[in-house]
Amino acid sequence: MARPEYFGYFLIGLSAVFFALHWQQWREWIHATTNTRRREFVRRQLQRRMVASGLIGVVGAAITLANQLPPNPAAMTAYLCALLLAGGVILAIALADLRASRRLLEEEQIELLAAELRKATAERVS
């Protein structure tokens, strides 16, 4: 067995671990969160992460099957392009997840500041 196959199996295992962690996170949030906006954010976040984890597993499976490709340049080129495309999609999902997380944090901070401002304004008027 060649070393790339070990890396493919590692990615498949990593994907399975990520799926387990996402499932556990979903179970915790479904019972703990009452804020519907936060719950919707977590649902979308977990959807993004599940897709990315699944793609990591698919890339891992594709890497393990590299020896099964026909030994012609067209097949190898298509294979490598597909791996690069999948890697690009995983990266795009990760960036979208990062952006969404930052956006939610900023919105929560703005709401907290607005509440403090309303409280200070009400105390000043009284």
Side-chain angles (χ1 to χ4, degrees):
M1 190 180 306
R3 288 192 192 338
E5 289 179 352
Y6 290 135
F7 183 66
Y9 290 130
F10 169 75
L11 288 179
I12 292 170
L14 185 66
S15 174
V17 168
F18 284 160
F19 270 119
L21 291 173
H22 301 327
W23 179 253
Q24 180 183 6
Q25 184 183 9
W26 173 253
R27 290 176 53 115
E28 290 171 1
W29 274 101
I30 198 74
H31 297 297
T33 306
T34 56
N35 183 348
T36 58
R37 192 172 105 205
R38 182 70 126 145
R39 180 175 284 193
E40 182 65 20
F41 168 78
V42 170
R43 184 185 67 78
R44 288 182 179 175
Q45 180 184 48
L46 287 172
Q47 282 179 340
R48 284 188 301 269
R49 291 181 177 183
M50 291 287 250
V51 169
S53 297
L55 277 174
I56 290 171
V58 168
V59 167
I63 290 173
T64 62
L65 298 174
N67 293 336
Q68 305 299 321
L69 288 173
N72 64 25
M76 188 55 79
T77 302
Y79 171 76
L80 290 176
C81 286
L83 286 181
L84 288 173
L85 178 64
V89 170
I90 292 168
L91 181 63
I93 292 171
L95 292 174
D97 189 52
L98 179 66
R99 182 174 180 258
S101 296
R102 283 187 178 174
R103 186 174 176 185
L104 179 72
L105 181 63
E106 289 171 356
E107 287 175 2
E108 287 176 346
Q109 288 175 344
I110 288 171
E111 286 179 11
L112 186 63
L113 289 172
E116 289 293 323
L117 181 61
R118 282 191 293 272
K119 181 180 173 186
T121 305
E123 288 175 358
R124 187 170 183 220
V125 172
S126 298

